[in-house]
């Protein structure tokens, strides 16, 4: 099957009530290939009325799904995991076509994204509570958990599968129904997932998927509707703040996984070769378009030149090209706006005195390509040390003492992920305690794991996804006082 035929086989309508249906007035919008800038296909463009219809469906089956035995919910999630695994190559290809990442990256995301269904299929049967005597001796305390109810998930374009499965898995495991509004740049992967979930036996109405080019218009009525009980969002801090403000009118329960500005701290006692390997993973995974991507490389001056030279050599091997090309290690950025942002931040750093050791200039031509780039001697005044670059650019600066390294790492309003490299266990634990971050990688460049709690502090948001903590975001705690 060629690419054209494959795209024609993918669902492009709204998924509501267990069926693929057209949007109101048959409205559509175009989805493009970042490698060419050309349209892949047209997708149904949901309206506010479509959104409320999806909420009607979610509410109608909410109590039935909540009362479905946990084992049965878990088995459906496990069946979805199996479906994704069976169709892994199709899901990966679709992701690469609409998002741009290299096929190897897409295959890795399929494996990672599917794992949330396997993990939460097991967590569904472990929702517990407690039963204890009241301290005063006048009764019993019974604590139980209950699903929060219908949820809205707003997902980003950079991980079209995993950012959805990380929310859908725990919501369904907890007994909640859910509406997903995928990013307009990458709705096709989520629509294919909806198809696979229906094939796996998910009851009608439990999941809806609403692609739209009018995000605020479509999600606004849902957030204002008292029947919606939970909002979960992954995206920029600016948009997250607006959503929190809007949801505050109803005290809607929210969880926010927002922007990052991850420091990558290399101490003078680090294994430099291992630090470079970790840096390549932390920087170039997903082409740098990840909230956990290392953004600021704070390297002890004693090893800074060695690290910079070796990192430059490694990053120089990342050849650019369409993600569908087997030789490609670095696909295009998502769109022209992102390309312009990366180019602007690099130019600002160079103007401030940074030295370009690799890359540093877009090739031009078709698609939104930017090369793997290393900037050395980046001054503290450069914007790239303050703003999330979301691209394949490593900005390197130095420090002398451990205290200076910690202070530089914490010098940001964000606090999602951080990375440290050292051979000293005491230092690793001491620095981890001092870093203002929700997640810390010690001597490793990839930290995401379905079995671990994912989330940040400060302006990187609140709430956790994954791990045993992830399902708690979709559960209410209920206390029952029992008379002795």
């Amino acid at each position: 099957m060629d690419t054209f035929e494959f795209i024609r086989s993918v669902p492009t309508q709204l998924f509501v009530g267990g069926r693929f249906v057209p949007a109101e007035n048959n409205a559509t919008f175009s989805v493009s290939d970042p490698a060419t800038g050309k349209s892949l296909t047209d997708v149904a463009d949901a309206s506010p009325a479509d959104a409320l219809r999806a909420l009607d469906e979610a509410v109608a089956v909410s109590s039935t799904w909540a009362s479905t035995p946990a084992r049965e919910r878990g088995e459906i999630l496990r069946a979805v995991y199996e479906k994704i695994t069976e169709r892994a190559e199709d899901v990966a290809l679709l992701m690469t076509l609409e998002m741009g990442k290299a096929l190897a990256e897409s295959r890795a995301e399929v494996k990672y994204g599917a794992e949330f269904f396997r993990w939460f299929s097991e967590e569904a049967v472990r929702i517990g509570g407690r039963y204890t005597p009241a301290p005063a001796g006048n009764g019993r305390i019974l604590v139980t958990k209950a699903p929060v109810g219908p949820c809205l998930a707003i997902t980003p374009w950079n991980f079209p599968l995993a950012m959805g499965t990380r929310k859908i898995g725990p919501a369904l495991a907890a007994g909640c129904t859910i509406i997903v509004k995928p990013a307009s740049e990458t709705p096709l992967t989520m629509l294919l997932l909806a198809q696979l979930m229906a094939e796996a036996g998910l009851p009608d109405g439990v999941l809806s998927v609403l692609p739209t080019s009018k995000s605020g218009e479509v999600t606004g009525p849902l957030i204002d509707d008292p029947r919606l009980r939970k909002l979960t969002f992954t995206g920029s801090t600016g948009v997250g703040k607006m959503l929190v403000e809007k949801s505050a009118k109803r005290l809607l329960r929210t969880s926010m996984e927002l922007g990052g500005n991850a420091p990558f701290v290399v101490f003078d006692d680090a294994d430099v070769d291992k630090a470079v390997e970790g840096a390549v993973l932390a920087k170039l995974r997903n082409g740098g378009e990840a909230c956990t991507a290392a953004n600021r490389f704070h390297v002890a001056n004693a090893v800074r030149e060695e690290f910079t030279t070796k990192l430059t050599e490694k990053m120089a091997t990342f050849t650019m090209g369409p993600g569908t090309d087997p030789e490609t290690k670095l696909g295009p950025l998502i769109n022209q706006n992102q390309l312009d942002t990366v180019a602007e931040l690099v130019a600002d750093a160079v103007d401030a005195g940074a030295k370009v050791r690799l890359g540093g200039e877009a090739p031009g031509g078709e698609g939104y390509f930017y090369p793997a780039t290393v900037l050395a001697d980046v001054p503290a005044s450069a914007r790239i040390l303050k703003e999330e670059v979301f691209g394949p650019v490593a900005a390197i600066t130095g420090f002398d003492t451990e205290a200076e390294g910690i202070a530089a790492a914490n010098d940001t309003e964000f606090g999602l992920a951080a990375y440290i490299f050292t051979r000293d266990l005491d230092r690793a634990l001491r620095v981890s305690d001092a870093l203002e971050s929700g997640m810390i990688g010690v001597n490793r460049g990839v930290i995401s794991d379905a079995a671990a709690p994912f989330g940040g502090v400060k302006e990187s948001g609140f709430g956790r996804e994954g791990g045993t903590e992830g399902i708690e975001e979709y559960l209410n705690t209920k206390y029952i006082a029992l008379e002795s």
Side-chain angles (χ1 to χ4, degrees), residues 15-31:
F15 185 72
V16 180
R19 299 175 299 281
F20 286 102
V21 297
E24 184 182 41
N25 299 324
N26 292 307
T28 62
F29 67 96
S30 180
V31 177

Side-chain angles (χ1 to χ4, degrees), residues 170-342:
L172 268 54
C176 300
T177 55
I178 190 167
I179 300 166
V180 180
K181 201 293 293 179
S184 59
E185 295 88 350
T186 57
L188 297 172
T189 301
M190 190 54 56
L191 290 171
L192 178 56
L193 175 63
Q195 182 182 67
L196 298 180
M197 294 183 72
E199 292 174 2
L202 186 70
D204 296 349
V206 173
L207 168 74
S208 290
V209 178
L210 300 176
T212 182
S213 64
K214 308 175 291 291
S215 182
E217 292 180 28
V218 168
T219 59
L222 294 175
I223 294 171
D224 289 338
D225 195 303
R227 297 176 298 170
L228 188 77
R229 301 298 174 83
K230 162 83 180 182
L231 168 64
T232 174
F233 170 73
T234 297
S236 72
T237 295
V239 174
K241 287 180 177 180
M242 288 189 290
L243 289 171
V244 170
E245 184 176 359
K246 186 172 181 58
S247 65
K249 290 185 293 184
R250 289 204 306 102
L251 295 179
L252 183 66
R253 186 163 174 179
T254 59
S255 54
M256 297 281 145
E257 195 266 280
L258 307 178
N261 189 11
F264 190 101
V265 186
V266 182
F267 290 99
D268 54 9
D269 65 339
D271 180 330
V272 174
D273 290 331
K274 187 172 184 178
V276 168
E277 293 292 341
V280 170
L281 292 171
K283 178 70 267 180
L284 293 182
R285 178 177 177 242
N286 217 51
E289 292 179 307
C291 54
T292 56
N295 202 53
R296 303 167 290 134
F297 289 79
H298 302 288
V299 184
N301 286 321
V303 296
R304 179 155 60 101
E305 182 54 36
E306 179 187 1
F307 175 87
T308 302
T309 299
K310 290 181 175 180
L311 179 62
T312 300
E313 291 171 355
K314 287 284 186 182
M315 288 180 60
T317 67
F318 276 69
T319 52
M320 283 189 301
T324 51
D325 186 336
E327 301 300 315
T328 293
K329 286 188 175 182
L330 183 62
L333 298 173
I334 187 65
N335 55 31
Q336 186 65 48
N337 285 342
Q338 189 57 36
L339 178 59
D340 291 345
T341 296
V342 172

